[in-house]
Amino acid sequence: MLNKKSLSFRIITRVLLITATLFVLILTLYYFYARNSIQKTTREYAIQLAGNIVGKVESELKPLEKIPQLVSASIGLGFFQEDSLIRILEEIVERNPSIDGSCIAFEPYYFPDKGKYFMPYVYRHNDEINTSFLGGNEYQYFYMDWYQIPKMLNKPYWSEPYFDEGGGNMLMTTYSHPIYINRDGTPHFIGVATIDVELDKLTDYISEVKIFETGYAFMITRNGVAVTHPDKTQIMNTSIFSTSEEWNAPVMREIGRELMQGKSNFRSYNIPGRNKRWIYYTHLNSLRWSIAVVYPDDEMYASLKQMNLLLLVLIAVGLLIISLVTTGIVRRLAAPLQQFSNSAHEIAQGNFEVELPKELNSIEMQELNNAFKYMQDQLAIYIEDLKQTTSAKEKIESELRIARDIQMSMIPHSFPPFPDLPQIDLYAMLNSAKEVGGDLYDFFVLDKNKFCFAIGDVSGKGVPASLFMAVTRTLLRSIADKHKTPSAIMNVLNKSLSLNNDSCMFVTFFLGILDIETGELRYANAGHNPPLYIKKNGKVLFMDMGTSIPLGLVGDYPYSESTIKLLHGEKIFTYTDGVSEAENASHELFGEEKIHEVISKYNDADPQSMIRFMTESIDKHVDGFEQSDDITMMSINFKGNGSA
Amino acid sequence: MNMYKTTFSFILIFIAVMQALGQKPKLVFSAHWMPQAQFAGYYAAKDQGYYEEAGIEVDIIHPSASVNAVEFLATGEADVISLFLITAMQVKHKGLDVVNIAQLSQHSAIMFVAKKDSGIETIEDFDGKQVGIWLSGFDELPRAMMDKFAVEVEWVPLLSTVNLFLLGGIDVMTVMYYNEFNQIYLSGIDREELNIFFATDYGFNIPEDGLYTLRETAVNKKEELRAFVDATLRGWAFAAKNKDYVLQLVIDIMRDNRIPSNKAHQSWMLDKVLEMIDLDNKNLIPGKLHRDDFMQAFEIIRYQYDLDFQLEYNEFFKPALNLPQSN
């Protein structure tokens, strides 16, 4: 699989992320737009569908209203005799197949000879027209809705539906029109004229309306009672209000109340435990009943959901293709990179002639190729240069090593130096910072009982300093042959060094001559660090030097000398500034105080040990930091002739 | 006493013989209205076999548009009927010798409703208004109430629907809390849209449904009646504990009788009827007609119809059960 840090992976993930985001955005916009559009279309369709149903019901029922209306008016105007009424009713039922019965019912004793009840009734039964006269204690029609309501309200009335008594299980409704006669100029109620209408054809029509899978249309009465229902046993039993109670769904009551108020509306509703639905409801003008069409939300949007699913699959496939194509392109474009990488490895191993990738498919790769080529050429040239430089440097280094050997051979370095001089114990060391250094020390016996020693530090380092040092040391030996006091030696040495000293080099120098019989030490100093004087009682002092300048600067500078007398066992410790100025990583100097402290601590040690302790102390202070200056130390123990 | 003993022995022998023949003594019970949850206890007792267990066979019949329960009793088509206390007293006053063998309902459910927009706020506002009342009777108490408040109303007899009220044809309607009141609600009128007047709030807390027989039946079929009342009370107790089951029973019976029914309404009715029977009330003795209730109903009949009317509590209330003696 792809490495997560690979170029291909990064490019593909970013491309996919952006593309997928874009797709999702477009899909979401599309979804909401389409949803809105479906809702709008559904609403329009629902209004149209409900309108059709309303139209159908109205066109069936409305014309029928004319008949009782006409009958009432005719009776009110006295056109019919009571005995001709049956004939009229028969005509009505016979001529109107949608009418299943018709009656004219009168107020008590309206026709005195007909008694309390007078209600001629004609009805269809098994396709035959039957006549009868109803009314009596067991049928007190005055109190029935179809009679009482138009009477009390003074207007026609479509009754709540009912199942016919004939046992045909047909759903009926009765339209009643009040009959008035004019008595003393005021209308006077005398009874009602009715028709019975079978509703089954209408309810079948409504029940057959199918909306998607489970959507349906229904009709309810002004009391909210179901006239049609998917479950036939609920017809005339349940109402929108009773269902609202049973399902604990107040929204149904809300809808029912809007229907009662004659409102039309398209809305959605949720009933806990049931799918969300959309409903459009409207009102029948004649019966004041209501028609509603119900759209299950999930079915309404089913096509949209399918479309979305399809789009999602397409998007997934699209993303897959994009990722494959992108991988291919990136791999092809980036292929030379691997070759460049291999070439770079080869070059690193010294094969500058390695071949670079040839099939370069982009300007960027061509540029990279040029850069590589340039690098190859430059490296070859550089390495050639380097070879020459290195060999030159190696030569110089070898010469320097020889120079160092020569330099080191110039100073005494066998200890103890004078096995036949028991009065003196001495140890010295010189540790150059570079191959050759500017520090020097020397000691030799002048005559039988005069012992001369010196330590110095040439300005600068390296070859010039070492040459100057060699000159100084050679001059010292030759001058000391002729002049026997420190000051004289110093003055002559200074004069010689100052001559033709165009490069202005100089050397700090300390020179002492010790009388090994008496312990008298005469010494002169030319700007050198003051040596330490370790007294017999263990006290350590910096020797008094006065002020002076280094040798080689001023040819006629008068150097003076001082004298102290060493007791047996007293010591002198000399050093160059490489000791006092030894640096650690934080650029802290070792310092003269520290030198004094170390010497005080080891005042009993012999010269070699003393220098070893000092070296250890410096190493500890420097802690591995690079040595920048020559370090030179010389320690002398005046033992005398052992009598002290 | 001897005569009584002989009769009793005869009944025992009769029962024994019938049982030996594999036939149980039969009682016909007529409810005083169409099938509905108001009579759930009887249906439950029959359905659960409580009557059979008590050694009787019971037929339950209902009045029709032409014949009411009292007529069933008078003609002998029914041995025992349910009736409002006050209606039963009126029947007695008219001459049919009925006795109360058990008082089931202990409270009144009669009330009046008026739409708020009619402006009717008090009983006094009924004056001159058209007030719906049941054509089939049960009207003694509403009439007595109007008399008490000296309110003249135009009574409009109604068969059984609330449509005239819904359409505004009448201003006020007499309703039963457990029945028409809820029918109005289930026709889309919110309770907040109505002003309601409970009879009990105006001093007319007269219990309603009780069981009645002819005086001679109460004597002749004492054992069967005791078994009937006892099993009926068990039926009500069962209904109180198994409402869903009993509701379905009621609805099935209603459907068989082609009467519109729905669970919401029957459930309301069952709840309210159970509240009136009040079986859990420890202060009441199931089946007992209290003397105070008797007196209140009696006074209404007396003042309403006949000041000379005489009726003794002990003559009217002949409990089939052996009730503890108290007021």
Side-chain angles (χ1 to χ4, degrees), chain A residues 214-216 218 230 247 251 255 266-271 274-280 293-301:
Chain A
T214 59
Y216 57 93
F218 68 85
W247 290 358
V251 64
I255 292 172
F266 181 74
R267 57 174 289 178
S268 66
Y269 63 96
N270 271 310
I271 292 170
R274 282 160 208 272
N275 290 337
K276 182 184 177 185
R277 294 180 170 202
W278 291 83
I279 187 169
Y280 174 73
V293 284
V294 177
Y295 291 75
D297 182 83
D298 52 348
E299 291 169 22
M300 208 164 114
Y301 298 115

Side-chain angles (χ1 to χ4, degrees), chain A residues 484-641:
Chain A
K484 301 299 178 190
T485 64
S487 54
I489 295 168
M490 283 291 231
N491 285 329
V492 176
L493 186 57
N494 182 37
K495 203 165 279 170
S496 306
L497 289 174
S498 303
L499 275 176
N500 302 320
N501 183 10
D502 293 339
S503 51
C504 277
M505 298 197 69
F506 59 88
V507 57
T508 65
F509 205 72
F510 174 82
L511 176 82
I513 295 172
L514 177 66
D515 187 324
I516 54 176
E517 292 298 323
T518 62
E520 185 191 59
L521 173 64
R522 300 172 74 181
Y523 63 91
N525 188 33
H528 195 78
N529 305 54
L532 287 148
Y533 170 34
I534 299 132
K535 296 189 79 166
K536 191 160 179 101
N537 59 10
K539 224 171 166 185
V540 178
L541 304 168
F542 281 103
M543 287 170 70
D544 183 19
M545 293 287 128
T547 53
S548 57
I549 61 169
L551 303 177
L553 291 175
V554 181
D556 52 358
Y557 183 83
Y559 288 94
S560 59
E561 64 177 58
S562 306
T563 304
I564 56 169
K565 188 166 167 56
L566 297 183
L567 298 177
H568 296 166
E570 290 191 326
K571 298 158 192 162
I572 300 294
F573 176 81
T574 63
Y575 60 93
T576 58
D577 60 0
V579 175
S580 58
E581 289 169 13
E583 266 185 354
N584 65 11
S586 349
H587 301 292
E588 287 161 349
L589 302 182
F590 188 66
E592 292 180 344
E593 269 179 42
K594 187 76 180 171
I595 296 170
H596 184 270
E597 187 189 315
V598 174
I599 297 300
S600 301
K601 190 170 174 190
Y602 300 109
N603 52 14
D604 273 350
D606 60 77
Q608 186 170 359
S609 305
M610 191 173 276
I611 284 173
R612 196 180 76 238
F613 289 135
M614 187 57 76
T615 306
E616 284 168 4
S617 223
I618 292 166
D619 287 348
K620 198 175 166 197
H621 171 76
V622 167
D623 195 21
F625 192 65
E626 195 194 0
Q627 182 187 338
S628 61
D629 201 357
D630 299 347
I631 291 175
T632 305
M633 290 177 274
M634 181 163 65
S635 177
I636 301 156
N637 183 0
F638 175 61
K639 291 158 95 174
N641 30 25

Side-chain angles (χ1 to χ4, degrees), chain B residues 138-159:
Chain B
F138 320 116
D139 57 346
E140 302 82 359
L141 188 144
R143 287 176 193 275
M145 255 182 88
M146 293 305 116
D147 285 354
K148 180 184 170 185
F149 286 90
V151 169
E152 281 283 338
V153 304
E154 183 190 331
W155 296 105
V156 177
L158 302 172
L159 261 182

Side-chain angles (χ1 to χ4, degrees), chain A residues 145 148 223 237 245 253 257, chain B residues 157 161 163 188 190 193 261:
Chain A
D145 281 353
Q148 195 175 33
N223 290 355
N237 284 318
E245 298 296 305
R253 188 172 177 86
R257 282 177 59 84
Chain B
T161 76
N163 292 328
D190 285 348
E193 293 175 291
S261 63

Side-chain angles (χ1 to χ4, degrees), chain A residues 410-427:
Chain A
M410 286 169 71
I411 56 174
H413 50 272
S414 59
F415 298 98
F418 311 111
D420 48 343
L421 274 184
Q423 293 90 336
I424 289 174
D425 187 6
L426 179 145
Y427 190 80

